[in-house]
Amino acid sequence: MISQSGRHIVSELNREIEKVDRRIASLIESDGELTWIFTIVTSIPGIGTQNAVCLMVCTDNFRRFSHDPRKISCYCGLLKACRKREKEAGGT
């Protein structure tokens, strides 16, 4: 059972999360390139807002891979050939 103060803390944290989510949405909407990439990424089944934003941040809006779908797929571990090469090279 959560105490009254515990519920208050959870409630405050949820409000802060909502603020951050709104700020992220605002930043994406204010930039044409971000909006375009976000729309494409979230059109993929199973990719929601949090995963899309995480991918965009971790890959410098996919510039890190020159917007090359093969390189991005390798980064995400989606291509069998890339996983095979990684194992051969001693990766995990």
Side-chain angles (χ1 to χ4, degrees), residues 1-80:
M1 219 170 176
I2 299 177
S3 69
Q4 182 72 14
S5 63
R7 276 188 231 129
H8 177 71
I9 291 170
V10 169
S11 178
E12 285 297 315
L13 288 173
N14 284 332
R15 278 195 284 277
E16 289 300 314
I17 290 169
E18 288 173 11
K19 284 182 192 175
V20 170
D21 286 345
R22 283 193 302 271
R23 180 68 178 133
I24 289 170
S26 173
L27 288 170
I28 290 170
E29 290 170 6
S30 71
D31 184 284
E33 181 184 9
L34 291 178
T35 301
W36 178 65
I37 297 289
F38 181 81
T39 301
I40 291 170
V41 174
T42 55
S43 72
I44 300 167
I47 302 292
T49 299
Q50 290 181 344
N51 285 333
V53 170
C54 183
L55 281 169
M56 292 166 71
V57 169
C58 291
T59 63
D60 188 25
N61 207 25
F62 298 97
R63 284 186 205 100
R64 193 169 143 195
F65 302 103
S66 305
H67 299 277
D68 181 334
R70 181 169 173 75
K71 290 178 183 177
I72 295 165
S73 296
C74 284
Y75 175 77
C76 294
L78 300 174
L79 291 181
K80 188 175 182 179

Side-chain angles (χ1 to χ4, degrees), residues 81-92:
C82 296
R83 290 193 304 263
K84 183 179 177 187
R85 273 195 302 259
E86 190 174 281
K87 282 184 180 179
E88 290 171 353
T92 55

